[in-house]
Amino acid sequence: MTDIVKILTRKNSLRKQCQDLSITDIEKIIVDLSDILKEKEASELERAEADREKNAKIDMIRKTMQDAGIGLDDIKDLVVASPKKKVEAKYRITDANGDNHEWSGRGRTPLAFQEYFDKNGVTKDDCLI
């Protein structure tokens, strides 16, 4: 919980923070918080309505499928999940043990590569396949 949330949710902390504020400043804060509350309530109502509409569409699709005699198993076979394509290695090194290591060049530098670079004074460009 952030400090501002702690202050706003604890009456005594809020009172202490407001001691040096003028009445006008406190009224402005109240108006701003009221506006934020109204925006949040409206946003949540919109989200709830969108969820209701989505669920109604899902129910309609289920009924249409049931009327047509189609089950989820019939559709499941039509949906093909594309397998993740393995990224080809771009760099290769052979360490002191004679083990080959390959790296695509994506993400963090593997430990074996970093040690190899540090020990041999080379860069990854020197290890291109």
Side-chain angles (χ1 to χ4, degrees), residues 2-3 12-13 16 30 32 40 43-45 47-48 59-60 62 65 77 80 83 87 89 98 101 105 115 120 124 126:
T2 63
D3 289 339
N12 287 334
S13 298
K16 183 178 179 185
I30 291 170
D32 289 346
K40 182 102 172 154
S43 173
E44 287 185 13
L45 283 174
R47 186 191 49 76
D59 290 342
M60 187 176 67
R62 281 188 182 135
M65 287 175 57
D77 297 333
V80 178
V87 180
H101 297 275
E115 289 173 355
N120 299 310
K124 65 181 184 179
D126 299 323

Side-chain angles (χ1 to χ4, degrees), residues 48-71:
E49 180 60 29
D51 287 347
R52 278 192 292 277
E53 289 176 8
K54 181 180 176 181
N55 289 335
K57 289 177 183 178
I58 290 171
D59 290 342
M60 187 176 67
I61 291 170
R62 281 188 182 135
K63 184 172 179 352
T64 303
M65 287 175 57
Q66 189 177 28
D67 292 345
I70 299 172

Side-chain angles (χ1 to χ4, degrees), residues 95-109:
D95 64 12
N97 299 332
D99 296 329
N100 286 326
H101 297 275
E102 292 184 342
W103 175 41
S104 67
R106 295 184 180 180
R108 293 182 64 182
T109 306

Side-chain angles (χ1 to χ4, degrees), residues 7-8 11-21:
I7 292 169
L8 290 172
K11 192 174 188 177
N12 287 334
S13 298
L14 186 58
R15 182 177 287 122
K16 183 178 179 185
Q17 293 297 319
C18 291
Q19 282 178 347
D20 297 331
L21 296 177

